[in-house]
Short mmCIF file of all heavy atoms in Angstrom, two decimals:
data_model
loop_
_atom_site.label_atom_id
_atom_site.label_comp_id
_atom_site.label_asym_id
_atom_site.label_seq_id
_atom_site.Cartn_x
_atom_site.Cartn_y
_atom_site.Cartn_z
N PHE W 871 -4.74 11.75 23.31
CA PHE W 871 -5.65 10.84 24.03
C PHE W 871 -5.42 11.02 25.53
O PHE W 871 -4.28 11.10 25.99
CB PHE W 871 -5.34 9.37 23.70
CG PHE W 871 -5.78 8.92 22.33
CD1 PHE W 871 -5.80 9.78 21.25
CD2 PHE W 871 -6.18 7.61 22.13
CE1 PHE W 871 -6.20 9.35 19.99
CE2 PHE W 871 -6.58 7.17 20.88
CZ PHE W 871 -6.59 8.03 19.81
N VAL W 883 -8.97 4.47 25.54
CA VAL W 883 -9.97 4.56 24.47
C VAL W 883 -11.28 4.10 25.11
O VAL W 883 -11.54 2.91 25.23
CB VAL W 883 -9.58 3.68 23.26
CG1 VAL W 883 -10.63 3.77 22.16
CG2 VAL W 883 -8.21 4.09 22.71
N ILE W 893 -13.94 7.08 19.68
CA ILE W 893 -12.60 7.44 19.20
C ILE W 893 -12.26 6.47 18.06
O ILE W 893 -12.46 5.26 18.20
CB ILE W 893 -11.57 7.33 20.34
CG1 ILE W 893 -11.85 8.41 21.40
CG2 ILE W 893 -10.14 7.45 19.81
CD1 ILE W 893 -10.98 8.32 22.64
N GLY W 894 -11.77 7.01 16.95
CA GLY W 894 -11.30 6.14 15.87
C GLY W 894 -12.39 5.67 14.93
O GLY W 894 -12.18 4.71 14.19
N HIS W 898 -8.37 5.40 9.24
CA HIS W 898 -7.15 6.18 9.50
C HIS W 898 -5.99 5.25 9.82
O HIS W 898 -6.16 4.04 10.02
CB HIS W 898 -7.35 7.14 10.68
CG HIS W 898 -7.60 6.47 12.00
ND1 HIS W 898 -8.78 5.85 12.30
CD2 HIS W 898 -6.80 6.31 13.08
CE1 HIS W 898 -8.72 5.34 13.53
NE2 HIS W 898 -7.52 5.60 14.03
N ASP W 900 -2.72 5.70 12.65
CA ASP W 900 -2.32 6.58 13.75
C ASP W 900 -1.01 7.29 13.41
O ASP W 900 -0.10 6.69 12.84
CB ASP W 900 -2.10 5.76 15.03
CG ASP W 900 -3.32 4.93 15.40
OD1 ASP W 900 -4.44 5.38 15.13
OD2 ASP W 900 -3.14 3.83 15.94
N LEU W 913 -3.64 -2.54 21.13
CA LEU W 913 -4.91 -2.18 21.77
C LEU W 913 -5.42 -3.39 22.55
O LEU W 913 -5.62 -4.48 21.98
CB LEU W 913 -5.92 -1.77 20.69
CG LEU W 913 -7.23 -1.17 21.20
CD1 LEU W 913 -6.98 0.21 21.83
CD2 LEU W 913 -8.26 -1.04 20.08
N GLY W 923 -19.04 -2.98 18.41
CA GLY W 923 -17.74 -2.43 18.81
C GLY W 923 -16.56 -3.12 18.15
O GLY W 923 -15.43 -3.03 18.63
N ASP W 924 -16.81 -3.80 17.03
CA ASP W 924 -15.70 -4.44 16.30
C ASP W 924 -14.77 -3.38 15.70
O ASP W 924 -15.15 -2.22 15.56
CB ASP W 924 -16.24 -5.30 15.13
CG ASP W 924 -17.11 -6.45 15.59
OD1 ASP W 924 -17.19 -6.70 16.81
OD2 ASP W 924 -17.71 -7.11 14.72
N THR W 925 -13.58 -3.81 15.33
CA THR W 925 -12.65 -2.93 14.60
C THR W 925 -12.36 -3.58 13.25
O THR W 925 -12.12 -4.79 13.18
CB THR W 925 -11.34 -2.73 15.40
OG1 THR W 925 -11.68 -2.23 16.70
CG2 THR W 925 -10.43 -1.72 14.71
N TRP W 1039 -14.14 -8.24 19.16
CA TRP W 1039 -13.42 -8.19 20.43
C TRP W 1039 -14.06 -9.08 21.48
O TRP W 1039 -15.29 -9.20 21.53
CB TRP W 1039 -13.41 -6.76 20.96
CG TRP W 1039 -12.59 -5.83 20.14
CD1 TRP W 1039 -13.03 -5.00 19.14
CD2 TRP W 1039 -11.17 -5.63 20.25
NE1 TRP W 1039 -11.95 -4.31 18.62
CE2 TRP W 1039 -10.81 -4.67 19.28
CE3 TRP W 1039 -10.17 -6.17 21.06
CZ2 TRP W 1039 -9.50 -4.24 19.10
CZ3 TRP W 1039 -8.87 -5.74 20.89
CH2 TRP W 1039 -8.55 -4.78 19.92
N TRP W 1047 -1.67 -3.67 15.65
CA TRP W 1047 -1.65 -3.39 14.21
C TRP W 1047 -0.41 -2.63 13.81
O TRP W 1047 0.16 -1.88 14.59
CB TRP W 1047 -2.90 -2.64 13.76
CG TRP W 1047 -3.13 -1.30 14.38
CD1 TRP W 1047 -2.58 -0.11 14.01
CD2 TRP W 1047 -4.03 -1.00 15.45
NE1 TRP W 1047 -3.07 0.90 14.80
CE2 TRP W 1047 -3.96 0.40 15.69
CE3 TRP W 1047 -4.91 -1.78 16.24
CZ2 TRP W 1047 -4.72 1.03 16.67
CZ3 TRP W 1047 -5.65 -1.13 17.22
CH2 TRP W 1047 -5.55 0.24 17.43
N HIS W 1054 -7.32 1.34 10.02
CA HIS W 1054 -8.31 0.73 10.90
C HIS W 1054 -9.48 1.67 11.12
O HIS W 1054 -9.38 2.88 10.90
CB HIS W 1054 -7.70 0.26 12.22
CG HIS W 1054 -7.01 1.32 13.02
ND1 HIS W 1054 -5.74 1.79 12.74
CD2 HIS W 1054 -7.41 2.03 14.10
CE1 HIS W 1054 -5.39 2.71 13.60
NE2 HIS W 1054 -6.39 2.88 14.45
N ALA W 1056 -12.87 1.94 13.93
CA ALA W 1056 -13.58 1.42 15.12
C ALA W 1056 -15.07 1.65 14.93
O ALA W 1056 -15.53 2.81 14.84
CB ALA W 1056 -13.09 2.13 16.37
N ARG W 1065 -17.46 0.54 26.43
CA ARG W 1065 -16.32 -0.14 25.77
C ARG W 1065 -15.08 0.55 26.28
O ARG W 1065 -14.96 1.78 26.18
CB ARG W 1065 -16.44 -0.01 24.26
CG ARG W 1065 -15.33 -0.71 23.44
CD ARG W 1065 -15.69 -0.56 21.96
NE ARG W 1065 -14.82 -1.21 21.01
CZ ARG W 1065 -13.71 -0.67 20.48
NH1 ARG W 1065 -13.29 0.52 20.87
NH2 ARG W 1065 -13.02 -1.33 19.56
N MET W 1067 -10.85 0.33 26.28
CA MET W 1067 -9.66 -0.26 25.69
C MET W 1067 -8.44 0.52 26.17
O MET W 1067 -8.53 1.74 26.38
CB MET W 1067 -9.70 -0.18 24.16
CG MET W 1067 -11.05 -0.43 23.54
SD MET W 1067 -11.60 -2.13 23.66
CE MET W 1067 -10.83 -2.84 22.23
N ARG W 1069 -4.58 1.55 24.97
CA ARG W 1069 -3.75 1.55 23.75
C ARG W 1069 -2.35 2.04 24.04
O ARG W 1069 -2.15 3.08 24.64
CB ARG W 1069 -4.39 2.45 22.69
CG ARG W 1069 -3.81 2.25 21.32
CD ARG W 1069 -4.42 3.19 20.30
NE ARG W 1069 -3.56 4.33 20.09
CZ ARG W 1069 -3.78 5.29 19.20
NH1 ARG W 1069 -4.86 5.24 18.43
NH2 ARG W 1069 -2.95 6.28 19.06
C1 SIN G 1870 -8.10 3.65 17.52
O1 SIN G 1870 -8.35 4.16 16.45
O2 SIN G 1870 -6.99 3.67 18.01
C2 SIN G 1870 -9.20 2.93 18.29
C3 SIN G 1870 -9.54 1.63 17.68
C4 SIN G 1870 -10.62 0.92 18.44
O3 SIN G 1870 -11.05 1.40 19.48
O4 SIN G 1870 -11.03 -0.15 18.00
#
Side-chain angles (χ1 to χ4, degrees):
F871 286 32
V883 179
I893 292 175
H898 64 287
D900 305 327
L913 189 69
D924 296 353
T925 304
W1039 292 96
W1047 61 82
H1054 58 281
R1065 182 176 183 272
M1067 321 290 274
R1069 194 182 99 175

